[in-house]
Amino acid sequence: MSYFQYDVLTNVARFVTNCEWTRSESALIRQGTGLEFAAPATHSPWRNYLRIFKLCLLVSEKDQLAVPTPVAHILSQTGTVTCDEYLHFLVEATTDPSPALTGWNAVAAGQGVRHPLCFSLKYLLAKVAGLNDPITSIYEVIGAYTLSGFSGSEDDIAFLSLMDKRSTYEQRGKNADARQARESIKFMSQISYLHCDGSNIVTSLSQEDARNIFQDIHPVAGPVENDGELEIQRLASFFKDGSEHEFFNYKTTIISDVLESGFSEGSKVKKTHIVIERNSKLRTLFFERNPATICDACSMDTRKRYPWVKRVLDIHHILPLASGTRVDSRKGTLLEDLVPVCPTCHRAIHRYYDGHLKAVTRKDFLNQQEARDIYAKAKGEIVKGDCHA
Ligand SMILES: [Zn+2]
Ligand SMILES: [Zn+2]
């Protein structure tokens, strides 16, 4: 796995903005970020991770020192941006060739960079918007990128024209030696309306939402820097406070979900969380693989109580509200971050979260452990108060 979870990246962001990370300090990064790695002792974390942290636009390198970017500064402040905002930004700012990799030079840049993640996301969105087809093989995306020669800035009509040839893309993508591309598409599928199922990416959006989001995606522009390290800083400077990447203003599904769930405040962070929980494909997949009918919190068997319905259960996403989904490079989106709960418990659990976050005056959990602990506490209260026991 060469890319990381979003919340690992926020740890890295805090680490690089708080202390100087140089080549020599191996133990420090392990401590500071909580990252574990099974590399041989001869491999320094620097060597292992620097490339990825550069690809994620968190650091550039100067005189053997990691220099935090504006992106690192923003991500290090919990709750100011969501996982979705960061990933959409990275989609717009990722270039081919990349200033994070060897081979970046002014010649390549002068010939015009391509935007592989812009291309990939727009391809997925165009397929939903135009064909209402939510399932796309990663290989198909890679093949389409290779064969089309598109830069990623083309409009919806151009993308739609690619769809006729989509049967030829998959084989081409399989033939390509594109580990990096596969990894980056899986990384991107931490976006709340995507999920990764093996080698497929599933896009859970209405045609209208897909069309709207497509129109909001624009590759980062402007003259590029000849020096790769400066280019990383230039790209990172486009990530402001997240206000330009407000992707969840759609009045259709998303806002009504917020209201329905009893979130009067409806902050961005919460909206992201709800989009994940309302991801219908994720829900279907979860119950296909876990055909439970019992609420994880109160143990009510909804099948027994409501025998005329298959189940009356929501899926609850245990991770920090803004952490996105977790993606395993082999298994795809991790379903173990989800638990089935009855709608009443679900609502009560979110009220419990609200109370906790208000008490600690934060907008979000700091990490997965805190989220798991508070979920366990809420569950403990529900079990204790069970009047049917
Ligand atoms: Zn329940
Ligand atoms: Zn929930």
Side-chain angles (χ1 to χ4, degrees):
M1 177 74 191
S2 52
Y3 279 91
F4 292 107
Q5 256 337 105
Y6 175 70
D7 39 9
V8 171
L9 291 177
T10 60
N11 282 343
V12 172
R14 272 191 285 278
F15 174 74
V16 294
T17 48
N18 287 330
C19 59
E20 294 197 329
W21 176 34
T22 67
R23 270 177 195 276
S24 52
E25 291 161 300
S26 297
L28 200 63
I29 182 167
R30 202 180 316 208
Q31 258 175 22
T33 63
L35 280 174
E36 289 175 28
F37 55 101
T42 48
H43 285 231
S44 69
W46 178 277
R47 201 170 124 193
N48 277 2
Y49 293 136
L50 190 64
R51 191 177 59 101
I52 291 296
F53 297 161
K54 285 183 178 183
L55 283 167
C56 295
L57 298 177
L58 295 179
V59 294
S60 63
E61 189 182 353
K62 195 183 181 192
D63 303 329
Q64 309 210 340
L65 198 70
V67 185
T69 65
V71 174
H73 286 291
I74 292 169
L75 290 195
S76 66
Q77 295 152 13
T78 306
T80 45
V81 290
T82 65
C83 176
D84 274 1
E85 288 168 321
Y86 169 67
L87 288 173
H88 280 102
F89 164 72
L90 214 55
V91 161
E92 296 178 318
T94 297
T95 58
D96 170 18
S98 164
L101 304 174
T102 51
W104 173 265
N105 56 54
V107 178
Q111 289 164 349
V113 294
R114 296 175 76 196
H115 294 84
L117 288 182
C118 257
F119 176 90
S120 303
L121 186 56
K122 279 178 150 184
Y123 187 88
L124 298 171
L125 293 168
K127 210 165 148 181
V128 172
L131 309 178
N132 205 11
D133 181 353
I135 301 173
T136 304
S137 144
I138 292 176
Y139 297 109
E140 180 185 326
V141 179
I142 293 170
Y145 180 69
T146 312
L147 288 173
S148 70
F150 276 22
S151 73
S153 57
E154 292 77 7
D155 66 10
D156 50 346
I157 295 165
F159 268 88
L160 212 52
S161 75
L162 295 179
M163 299 299 153
D164 298 339
K165 285 165 268 167
R166 64 187 188 282
S167 56
T168 62
Y169 295 146
E170 181 153 358
Q171 198 49 51
R172 181 58 205 262
K174 279 185 176 155
N175 295 339
D177 176 27
R179 198 183 77 93
Q180 176 89 32
R182 285 201 305 277
E183 294 292 336
S184 61
I185 292 170
K186 285 180 180 174
F187 176 67
M188 182 179 83
S189 66
Q190 291 178 73
I191 289 176
S192 58
Y193 54 80
L194 301 179
H195 82 263
C196 176
D197 183 16
S199 62
N200 288 327
I201 302 291
V202 186
T203 313
S204 302
L205 288 171
S206 68
Q207 285 180 277
E208 191 193 344
D209 283 343
R211 214 169 288 135
N212 285 337
I213 295 174
F214 185 105
Q215 298 303 339
D216 274 349
I217 295 171
H218 308 284
V220 163
V224 301
E225 298 278 354
N226 292 344
D227 179 275
E229 307 305 324
L230 291 179
E231 177 66 3
I232 290 172
Q233 292 287 342
R234 185 188 78 88
L235 291 170
S237 71
F238 285 94
F239 194 47
K240 296 284 158 35
D241 56 1
S243 58
E244 292 170 40
H245 295 274
E246 178 76 74
F247 282 94
F248 294 98
N249 273 333
Y250 304 111
K251 288 180 202 75
T252 49
T253 48
I254 293 151
I255 301 297
S256 57
D257 279 351
V258 173
L259 295 175
E260 191 193 319
S261 302
F263 293 132
S264 49
E265 294 152 72
S267 70
K268 280 190 293 191
V269 171
K270 284 175 183 169
K271 281 180 215 166
T272 299
H273 182 66
I274 287 164
V275 175
I276 292 167
E277 297 193 332
R278 295 300 167 103
N279 183 320
S280 57
K281 295 295 180 306
L282 200 57
R283 188 191 142 83
T284 307
L285 196 72
F286 178 83
F287 284 117
E288 258 170 37
R289 306 215 175 143
N290 311 273
T293 57
I294 296 172
C295 170
D296 183 69
C298 72
S299 303
M300 184 209 338
D301 189 335
T302 63
R303 188 67 200 261
K304 280 193 183 143
R305 176 159 299 181
Y306 313 108
W308 59 93
V309 252
K310 203 167 171 192
R311 66 172 61 85
V312 188
L313 289 173
D314 291 347
I315 53 171
H316 173 62
H317 184 233
I318 293 190
L319 296 188
L321 300 176
S323 74
T325 53
R326 278 199 305 141
V327 183
D328 180 287
S329 61
R330 280 150 305 158
K331 284 187 266 178
T333 298
L334 286 179
L335 300 174
E336 52 257 48
D337 298 328
L338 305 167
V339 286
V341 288
C342 74
T344 310
C345 284
H346 196 189
R347 203 169 275 223
I349 287 162
H350 280 277
R351 293 289 159 97
Y352 193 87
Y353 284 7
D354 285 345
H356 167 76
L357 293 174
K358 209 164 270 173
V360 294
T361 60
R362 268 194 268 112
K363 279 190 195 163
D364 196 4
F365 298 118
L366 289 177
N367 50 43
Q368 297 180 16
Q369 196 51 52
E370 187 188 9
R372 288 184 209 281
D373 290 349
I374 299 303
Y375 175 72
K377 264 182 148 176
K379 190 172 156 179
E381 292 291 330
I382 291 168
V383 172
K384 215 165 61 188
D386 186 2
C387 51
H388 304 291

